[in-house]
Amino acid sequence: MYLKRKINEQLLSFHSLRFPLFKKIRTSHRYEAVVGIGGNVGDVKRRFEHLYIAFSRDKRVELFKTSLILKNPPFGYENQDDFLNAIMVFKTSMQPKEFLRYLLRVEKRFGRKRSFPNAPRTLDLDIIFFDNRNINTKDLQIPHPHWYKRESVVIPLIGANI
């Protein structure tokens, strides 16, 4: 069950038992990773719940914080349904590029198909921050470019006290 709150004319927030969530860290994993999650195809809230369970069962990561879920309009390609977005914070021992490959496999497992930039999608996982590192390669940019300009990232970050 989700509690819904209207933020403004375009933005809604949703709260459930797992969004937002704050747990004590009990891990030996070395790095902290902040990941933006999003989607706008199918039952996205249910997919987020399944994603939470999948990450909770995976020993390569420890999920210890989630944000509220934000419903917001799309940007870029605007002729599509609104998105649901949230933040998840992990501890992991994977290096950034390995962690990116891991997230891409998770997206694929949850039905992600890449057709064109900003296209509708079942699940989008973006590394926003990774252990205070700055990385700028063809495949990976950390911090995520323009994160600070996107309500879909900033509002959940504030909601998760990050």
Side-chain angles (χ1 to χ4, degrees):
M1 176 177 210
Y2 287 88
L3 298 174
K4 179 170 65 170
R5 193 178 114 220
K6 188 174 184 177
I7 296 174
N8 64 29
E9 290 304 314
Q10 293 185 316
L11 302 174
L12 292 173
S13 69
F14 297 91
H15 301 261
S16 73
L17 292 175
R18 295 184 176 120
F19 292 90
L21 174 85
F22 303 92
K23 294 180 357 185
K24 285 190 172 191
I25 302 172
R26 289 176 264 137
T27 187
S28 60
H29 291 307
R30 297 176 55 184
Y31 309 115
E32 184 173 301
V34 177
V35 176
I37 66 173
N40 71 337
V41 173
D43 189 346
V44 179
K45 285 187 255 180
R46 184 171 183 189
R47 190 169 301 110
F48 284 5
E49 294 291 335
H50 287 262
L51 182 66
Y52 173 89
I53 292 166
F55 282 137
S56 296
R57 292 179 177 167
D58 193 325
K59 301 286 187 220
R60 294 171 286 184
V61 296
E62 182 177 351
L63 174 61
F64 69 94
K65 193 182 283 191
T66 65
S67 71
L68 54 79
I69 297 173
L70 180 70
K71 182 178 181 182
N72 54 289
F75 61 88
Y77 175 66
E78 295 180 2
N79 189 19
Q80 60 182 318
D81 291 338
D82 286 349
F83 275 83
L84 293 179
N85 293 96
I87 294 291
M88 291 182 155
V89 184
F90 300 91
K91 289 293 252 182
T92 185
S93 291
M94 289 181 260
Q95 291 292 328
K97 288 190 179 188
E98 180 185 3
F99 187 63
L100 173 63
R101 287 189 300 272
Y102 166 76
L103 293 178
L104 292 173
R105 287 191 306 273
V106 171
E107 283 182 347
K108 191 171 186 177
R109 195 169 82 216
F110 278 84
R112 171 77 187 261
K113 292 179 180 33
R114 295 179 182 272
S115 51
F116 59 90
N118 299 314
R121 49 200 168 266
T122 56
L123 182 64
D124 186 26
L125 301 173
D126 292 324
I127 303 171
I128 307 300
F129 306 111
F130 192 97
D131 212 46
N132 293 320
R133 293 196 190 180
N134 290 303
I135 299 171
N136 192 5
T137 66
K138 178 183 163 223
D139 299 329
L140 182 61
Q141 292 182 318
I142 297 175
H144 190 281
H146 312 294
W147 67 268
Y148 53 91
K149 296 178 184 177
R150 297 182 180 169
E151 291 176 324
S152 60
V153 175
V154 173
I155 291 172
L157 279 172
I158 292 168
N161 294 320
I162 298 171

